[in-house]
Amino acid sequence: MIAYPEDTRISDAELCLLIQRGEKNAAEILYDTYAGFLFLSIIRIVRNKELAKRVLEETFKKIWHSIPDYEIDKERIYTWMKAIAYDSAKEALSQLNK
């Protein structure tokens, strides 16, 4: 496991490579960096704090599993993750409305 000083900023490309290699703290850094922004995007859609927390958790599970497919040269990681969060939130709403 690689340790990074708190004031060190790693690029999204480096984070993705480290996550793909199974570096746990890289996944934690990605979560710490983007979870708040994704939560805000999700809560705007689902309008329920508890549901938004569950959707955020599901979103990051999808991100972890999909990170090998992410292409850093095609789009920013936040844009890619936000699309996953949006789809997860819409899916959660459709499940509620069944």
Side-chain angles (χ1 to χ4, degrees):
M1 185 153 97
I2 300 171
Y4 297 97
E6 284 197 27
D7 60 344
T8 301
R9 171 75 174 111
I10 343 180
S11 74
D12 291 338
E14 290 172 304
L15 274 174
C16 289
L17 289 173
L18 292 170
I19 292 167
Q20 289 172 350
R21 290 185 202 148
E23 291 289 340
K24 182 182 175 189
N25 65 334
E28 291 170 358
I29 292 168
L30 186 72
Y31 182 89
D32 291 345
T33 302
Y34 292 106
F37 297 113
L38 294 175
F39 182 79
L40 291 174
S41 297
I42 292 166
I43 204 161
R44 285 184 187 121
I45 296 167
V46 300
R47 302 204 179 273
N48 177 293
K49 188 175 181 179
E50 292 307 312
L51 179 58
K53 288 178 183 178
R54 290 193 304 268
V55 171
L56 181 65
E57 182 180 329
E58 186 61 32
T59 296
F60 270 97
K61 286 179 186 176
K62 290 177 182 178
I63 290 168
W64 306 146
H65 294 294
S66 301
I67 203 88
D69 301 326
Y70 170 65
E71 298 179 43
I72 192 82
D73 56 330
K74 290 198 176 183
E75 65 184 331
R76 293 181 51 215
I77 194 159
Y78 176 69
T79 305
W80 177 73
M81 292 190 306
K82 189 173 178 182
I84 294 171
Y86 177 85
D87 290 344
S88 297
K90 288 295 190 178
E91 184 179 319
L93 279 181
S94 71
Q95 294 296 320
L96 279 179
N97 294 329
K98 284 186 176 182

